[in-house]
Amino acid sequence: MPEALPLSLAPVVILACGNPSRGDDALGPLLLDRLQEWLDAAGLAEGFELISDFQWQIEHALDLMGRRLALFIDAGMQTPAPLRFGAVPAIDAAIPGTHALSPTAVLAVLPRIAQPAPPAFVLCVSGQHFELGDGLSAVAIRHADCAFELLQALCRSPWIDAWQASISGD
């Protein structure tokens, strides 16, 4: 059984993944950095914990414990422009490995350690170029601006009903 959570746990956790050295794959970490600055300036930072990593791993399930809401941010090659925002279920299925998990797979870890999964959402931002050494493409910069507007709206209303009302179609 995991140890007790600290009393000061932020109710909302936002996890972003991506490699800053791989072009548009940097969208997640860059959006998270920008969001942290905005949350600090807006006086909202204590309601959120922001976590960035190259990929989601089984250990990130521990970051979800005791949260009211969770948001996963990533860049996607096949994502409709400029972004896709939707709920993600915790499906109890076999976890294919311990590295590079999907948000669904990370959420599925929680029932295995006797913890409820928080309502969770995915923000996937459309990217085009993911080559090692590339910077962000001009298109990705525009998509990041759209994603940041959505992030600001979500953080102003960090409640499941508000987030469900923001779900985009494919």
Side-chain angles (χ1 to χ4, degrees), residues 74-106:
D74 197 3
M77 286 182 106
Q78 306 299 323
T79 303
L83 58 87
R84 183 173 42 81
F85 176 72
V88 59
I91 298 173
D92 190 19
I95 298 172
T98 58
H99 298 287
L101 300 180
S102 69
T104 298
V106 174

Side-chain angles (χ1 to χ4, degrees), residues 56-116:
W56 292 309
Q57 301 175 14
I58 198 165
E59 293 83 0
H60 288 119
L62 300 176
D63 297 319
L64 301 172
M65 291 173 38
R67 307 297 182 151
R68 188 178 69 227
L69 282 172
L71 175 63
F72 295 86
I73 304 173
D74 197 3
M77 286 182 106
Q78 306 299 323
T79 303
L83 58 87
R84 183 173 42 81
F85 176 72
V88 59
I91 298 173
D92 190 19
I95 298 172
T98 58
H99 298 287
L101 300 180
S102 69
T104 298
V106 174
L107 288 164
V109 172
L110 292 167
R112 294 170 189 237
I113 58 174
Q115 295 292 318

Side-chain angles (χ1 to χ4, degrees), residues 121-154:
F121 295 82
V122 171
L123 171 60
C124 191
V125 185
S126 178
Q128 293 182 334
H129 302 285
F130 293 80
E131 295 301 318
L132 185 62
D134 283 353
L136 278 184
S137 68
V139 170
I141 292 170
R142 288 194 304 272
H143 295 169
D145 288 341
C146 291
F148 190 69
E149 286 181 29
L150 177 60
L151 284 168
Q152 289 175 303
L154 296 173

Side-chain angles (χ1 to χ4, degrees), residues 14 34 39 41 44 67 107 109 160:
I14 301 176
R34 188 173 171 188
L39 287 170
L44 299 173
R67 307 297 182 151
L107 288 164
V109 172
I160 187 169

